[in-house]
Amino acid sequence: MNLHLIIGEDDFLVAEAAKRALGDFMVEEIDSSSATNAESQLREIAKARESFLSPPMFDPNKATWWRNVKFLPGADKLAEDVKTALESLARMFAECPLPENQVFVISGPKLLRTSLFAKALQGIAQITVFAPAKGRAATEQAVVAAIDFAAEEGFKFEHGAAEAFVAKVGLDTRSIRSEVAKLRTFLGASRKTATRADVDAIASPGAGVEPNFWAITDALGARNAEKAVAAALEFAGENNFAVMVSGAIERFFRQMIDLERLADTLAPFQVRNLQTFRRHWNQNELRAARFRFLNLRERAVSSGGEAVSDLIVTEIIRACNGRIKA
C-alpha cells in the first residue's frame, strides 16, 4: 500500500515511521501544526486534496507527507464542516487509488478508530498506531529505547545506568535519541560502556521533564546532609526554587513511606533505591520529615518562596541529623 496513516503522540516514532513509508521519493510536505481553527483546517484539507490529485512534475516519483494533522476525528472540539471535509477526503482516497509512483502519508497525534474517516481508510491504507504506554510500562519502554539507541551508537549502559538515564532524560523518544548521541560523543571513540557517573555528568532533562532532583533525594536517602544541601543549592537561582525543591523532597519522603503501595507505579531501579534508603530511616522519621516539607511547600506557594528559601537548608539538615525513636 502506498497510502499511509500514522498515528501517535510520540513525534519521533511517528516521524521515523513516516520516513520509512516515504522512502527515497521526492517529498512534498504539508505541515498543519498551526491549523487551530476551522477555517485554517479546511485550507489544509484542500492542500492535501490538491497534492493527492496532482501527478509528479519534475521527477518520475512523488510523495506527500501531510504531517501534524491535529484535527483528525478524535480531536477535541472538531467543527462539523471539518469532519465532513475529512470524510469527503477519505472517500476520494478510496475512489482514486494512487499509482505506483506516488506515496501519500498522513500523520497526527490522535484518531478515533470508529469514525467514518477511519473506517473509510480501512483496507486501502496502511494504518500504524503508536499507543502511548503509561506508568511503569512507559518507563520500561523508554529504557529499552535507550539501550537500543546506545547499541546503534556502539556502546552499552552498565547495570542500572540506563534506568538512571531515563529517569533524568524523561520518556520522550526524541530526547532519548538526542541524549544518547550526546553521551556517545562524551564517551569518546575508545569507551564502550556508559556508567551512572557518565549519565550524571552529561545527560540533560528532555522535553517536559522537571529539573533533576536525584542528587538531592539520593543524598537525603543516605542521610548525607552535606551532599543534600550542596545539591539543593545548585537550584538556588532557579525560579520557584523553594516550591520545586520542597515539593520534590516531600514527594520523595511520601514514596519512602508508601513504597509497598506505590511499587507498581515506579521504575524497578527506583524501587531498589528506595528500599536501600529506607534502611537509614524509620517510619516516624519519614512521616515527620514529610510533614515538615509539606508545610514548607505550602508556605512557599502562598508566599512566593522567598520567605522560606533559607528554611530548606535548615530542614534538610534537621531531617538528616534528627533522630526520632520508632
Side-chain angles (χ1 to χ4, degrees):
M1 293 181 180
N2 41 3
L3 176 62
H4 297 262
L5 180 59
I6 304 171
I7 303 298
E9 297 183 20
D10 189 318
D11 64 345
F12 179 84
L13 296 179
V14 168
E16 290 298 300
K19 290 173 185 176
R20 290 192 294 271
L22 294 164
D24 296 327
F25 283 19
M26 179 179 290
V27 180
E28 174 186 342
E29 289 194 19
I30 304 171
D31 189 344
S32 297
S33 56
S34 60
T36 56
N37 56 47
E39 183 180 358
S40 59
Q41 291 164 359
L42 290 170
R43 284 199 301 268
E44 296 299 290
I45 294 170
K47 289 179 188 177
R49 180 185 290 273
E50 181 180 358
S51 182
F52 183 87
L53 293 174
S54 301
M57 295 291 289
F58 305 108
D59 194 272
N61 301 313
K62 176 190 174 184
T64 300
W65 183 7
W66 187 20
R67 63 189 302 179
N68 296 319
V69 189
K70 300 176 182 178
F71 50 89
L72 295 176
D76 295 334
K77 300 179 182 179
L78 197 61
E80 286 299 322
D81 52 352
V82 174
K83 289 182 183 178
T84 300
L86 286 169
E87 291 164 8
S88 174
L89 185 69
R91 289 194 297 272
M92 184 196 71
F93 290 153
E95 294 166 1
C96 305
L98 283 167
E100 292 185 0
N101 66 333
Q102 288 184 245
V103 173
F104 198 97
V105 176
I106 307 169
S107 66
K110 295 180 180 179
L111 175 69
L112 180 63
R113 297 296 296 270
T114 57
S115 65
L116 293 177
F117 175 85
K119 289 180 178 179
L121 297 183
Q122 291 288 341
I124 66 167
Q126 177 67 49
I127 300 177
T128 303
V129 178
F130 295 102
K134 296 181 180 179
R136 190 169 182 171
T139 301
E140 292 173 350
Q141 181 175 292
V143 170
V144 170
I147 292 171
D148 289 345
F149 290 146
E152 292 175 10
E153 293 284 353
F155 73 95
K156 63 181 181 180
F157 289 96
E158 72 172 8
H159 180 69
E163 290 88 345
F165 176 86
V166 167
K168 189 171 185 180
V169 173
L171 307 182
D172 176 69
T173 310
R174 187 177 299 279
S175 297
I176 292 171
R177 186 70 186 90
S178 175
E179 290 299 310
V180 164
K182 189 169 74 173
L183 186 54
R184 168 72 280 174
T185 301
F186 177 78
L187 293 174
S190 60
R191 292 184 58 196
K192 305 298 182 184
T193 302
T195 66
R196 171 69 184 269
D198 296 324
V199 170
D200 290 342
I202 197 64
S204 302
V209 178
E210 293 181 350
N212 175 31
F213 297 111
W214 291 105
I216 304 173
T217 54
D218 282 0
L220 275 171
R223 298 191 83 144
N224 188 322
E226 183 178 357
K227 284 188 177 181
V229 168
L233 291 178
E234 289 289 325
F235 296 94
E238 300 283 345
N239 290 332
N240 298 320
F241 159 74
V243 175
M244 291 191 304
V245 173
S246 59
I249 295 174
E250 184 276 327
R251 183 168 60 248
F252 170 72
F253 283 120
R254 175 162 30 95
Q255 289 173 342
M256 293 262 276
I257 293 167
D258 295 332
L259 181 56
E260 284 73 18
R261 183 174 61 83
L262 298 174
D264 289 342
T265 68
L266 302 173
F269 91 99
Q270 288 178 277
V271 175
R272 292 194 299 270
N273 283 351
L274 291 172
Q275 287 171 337
T276 299
F277 295 148
R278 283 216 310 197
R279 298 170 191 166
H280 303 292
W281 301 80
N282 62 51
Q283 285 292 91
N284 285 345
E285 289 173 327
L286 292 173
R287 291 191 185 98
R290 188 213 164 190
F291 177 77
R292 289 196 296 270
F293 278 100
L294 180 61
N295 284 343
L296 196 61
R297 184 183 184 280
E298 291 175 351
R299 290 175 61 186
V301 170
S302 62
S303 69
E306 293 183 7
V308 297
S309 293
D310 291 342
L311 294 178
I312 288 178
V313 170
T314 301
E315 290 296 349
I316 287 174
I317 295 171
R318 182 179 180 184
C320 289
N321 296 336
R323 294 289 171 178
I324 302 174
K325 293 182 179 179

